Amino acid sequence: MTAADTRAMCWLLQQPQAARRARLARQVSRLGDGPFYVALTLLIWWFDKEGGSLFALTAMAAYALEVPLFVGLKHLIQRPRPADALESLSAFIQPADRFSFPSGHTAAAFVMASLLSVFYPPVMALALGLAVMVGLSRVLLGVHYPSDILAGATLGFSCAMIGLWLV
């Protein structure tokens, strides 16, 4: 898997359009930051008088699982970021930490997308599409391998489902 990840990263980041794609990817990646999900959850809680409180409670439970799990996995596995492991690559942004597996941005995006899909099915395609774009942006920025994204998506979806079960 590491060999396939390395080949994919080298191919993507050595394309002539890599820098241009990285500018757009940087904007998309910001959707994976925590403040966006807090604001979205508060808006849903405020405007949806019937289901907003349950959505917010479920989101809090899911993120209470996801955040320590992704941090713990990163420190347990300690997979170096692509630019740290491959001299021929350089990242387009400075990541918040040293390790890449799993992608925390992708995990957070998939928690939110999964919960939105369950609570508000009409937005499923948009929510999942944005989550996939957040994950892809992390690869295009050179801070994650494709398998980091797959692991983050799996972690985020799983935490959302456990959060639904708990609440």
Side-chain angles (χ1 to χ4, degrees):
M1 181 167 51
T2 299
D5 270 347
T6 301
R7 282 193 303 277
M9 290 301 299
C10 289
W11 183 82
L12 275 172
L13 296 179
Q14 293 172 349
Q15 295 296 307
Q17 309 88 354
R20 191 180 71 213
R21 288 181 187 150
R23 283 191 294 276
L24 177 60
R26 189 175 291 118
Q27 300 307 314
V28 172
S29 178
R30 287 191 178 128
L31 293 174
D33 295 343
F36 174 74
Y37 301 124
V38 171
L40 182 57
T41 300
L42 288 172
L43 284 171
I44 290 170
W45 173 76
W46 181 260
F47 287 108
D48 181 4
K49 300 301 180 197
E50 290 181 28
S53 294
L54 184 59
F55 177 88
L57 185 61
T58 306
M60 286 189 290
Y63 284 114
L65 293 168
E66 181 264 330
V67 171
L69 283 173
F70 105 79
V71 171
L73 285 168
K74 277 187 182 250
H75 287 92
L76 177 69
I77 296 167
Q78 297 185 359
R79 183 182 198 184
R81 297 228 181 234
D84 294 336
L86 305 166
E87 289 181 22
S88 62
L89 297 180
S90 58
F92 288 99
I93 61 169
Q94 180 65 40
D97 59 46
R98 295 181 14 213
F99 305 122
S100 72
F101 186 91
S103 167
H105 277 74
T106 306
F110 272 88
V111 166
M112 185 56 68
S114 299
L115 293 179
L116 287 169
S117 297
V118 169
F119 280 87
Y120 308 100
V123 302
M124 181 186 303
L126 176 63
L128 292 173
L130 284 173
V132 168
M133 288 174 56
V134 167
L136 180 59
S137 75
R138 304 300 288 170
V139 174
L140 293 174
L141 290 169
V143 294
H144 284 289
Y145 293 100
S147 62
D148 300 340
I149 303 311
L150 182 59
T154 302
L155 177 64
F157 174 79
S158 299
C159 289
M161 294 303 107
I162 294 168
L164 284 163
W165 178 75
L166 288 173
V167 176

